[in-house]
Amino acid sequence: MLSIDEIKKYLKENLKEKRYNHTLGVAETAKKLAILNCISEEKAEIAALAHDVAKNLSEEKMKSIIRENNISLSSVEKNNIDLWHSIIAPIEAKNKLGIQDEEILDAIRWHTTGKEDMSTLTKIIYIADMIEPNRDFEGVEKIREITFENLDRGVYTGLTHTIQFLLTKNLLVDENTIKCRNYLLLNDK
Ligand SMILES: [Fe+2]
Ligand SMILES: [Fe+2]
């Protein structure tokens, strides 16, 4: 695996400046949440740095990676290009950054939609992506506050916010996002 400095160098060269700064913000937030939730700060930093590794690839490039790796997409995934960079993130993280840790690869795979029964690391990357310091949407401050009090409640609030937003825009909601929220609700978070 590349060192953290080498990962940063790769990202600086392969992401747009705004995306790179977002990535550093996610890493900063993920490290704080890792300490608060008693998981490895280093794993959280690596996962955060790697989560958008595929974000600035062209549509054609993403399509060919999906094809070459025989990844079958759901109808929602097929119709939502914003999901593709997370679907191929584990492949890019393995090939370009040398990351093998399955827990990290799982966290970056699900950072956009969430999924049922997430690990603590996957939850942290999902919500750190939404609340990192550069994020500025109505309601973000409240989600930040809740997340730093209670990770599960923060993730739940983030999912609810996202689903509400998608509904008002008449956009597709991925089934994993619904399952993720239902799971937290059923498990009393
Ligand atoms: Fe992303
Ligand atoms: Fe991101």
Side-chain angles (χ1 to χ4, degrees):
M1 195 186 87
L2 300 186
S3 69
I4 286 186
D5 282 346
E6 288 165 338
I7 292 175
K8 284 185 184 166
K9 184 169 179 281
Y10 176 87
L11 296 171
K12 204 170 167 49
E13 285 165 4
N14 287 279
L15 296 179
K16 291 176 185 156
E17 195 183 350
K18 195 170 169 227
R19 182 60 45 183
Y20 180 68
N21 290 333
H22 157 71
T23 296
L24 296 182
V26 177
E28 187 189 312
T29 303
K31 283 202 282 181
K32 287 183 191 161
L33 290 172
I35 295 168
L36 279 172
N37 292 280
C38 307
I39 66 158
S40 160
E41 206 184 329
E42 194 193 2
K43 265 198 192 196
E45 181 172 22
I46 295 165
L49 289 173
H51 86 285
D52 272 343
V53 63
K55 185 72 181 185
N56 292 137
L57 296 178
S58 68
E59 181 173 345
E60 276 319 303
K61 182 73 191 160
M62 288 194 283
K63 263 190 195 159
S64 71
I65 293 172
I66 289 167
R67 211 181 308 118
E68 282 159 16
N69 288 277
N70 297 314
I71 299 171
S72 56
L73 301 182
S74 70
S75 52
V76 171
E77 288 170 341
K78 253 180 229 157
N79 285 285
N80 188 350
I81 188 173
D82 291 340
L83 300 180
W84 297 359
H85 78 283
S86 41
I87 293 166
I88 63 171
I91 295 163
E92 286 293 285
K94 266 190 221 168
N95 293 344
K96 304 285 169 46
L97 312 176
I99 296 173
Q100 300 290 344
D101 186 314
E102 289 298 332
E103 234 196 313
I104 294 176
L105 297 174
D106 182 80
I108 66 179
R109 165 63 185 87
W110 299 102
H111 82 264
T112 310
T113 57
K115 68 165 177 178
E116 204 167 27
D117 196 10
M118 298 192 286
S119 71
T120 302
L121 180 64
T122 303
K123 287 173 189 167
I124 285 175
I125 300 306
Y126 173 82
I127 201 67
D129 186 34
M130 194 180 296
I131 64 169
E132 60 93 3
N134 299 296
R135 294 287 198 200
D136 182 24
F137 57 86
E138 203 177 327
V140 68
E141 198 45 60
K142 189 76 197 154
I143 303 173
R144 267 188 204 119
E145 206 178 286
I146 296 170
T147 302
F148 279 91
E149 268 167 29
N150 180 309
L151 179 63
D152 279 329
R153 285 209 301 117
V155 172
Y156 176 79
T157 310
L159 287 159
T160 303
H161 174 92
T162 299
I163 293 167
Q164 279 169 338
F165 171 82
L166 293 170
L167 295 181
T168 61
K169 299 276 175 198
N170 284 322
L171 292 169
L172 290 162
V173 182
D174 188 88
E175 65 178 306
N176 291 295
T177 305
I178 305 282
K179 282 184 180 167
C180 185
R181 182 176 175 278
N182 281 349
Y183 185 88
L184 289 169
L185 204 50
L186 289 167
N187 289 278
D188 200 30
K189 302 304 180 198

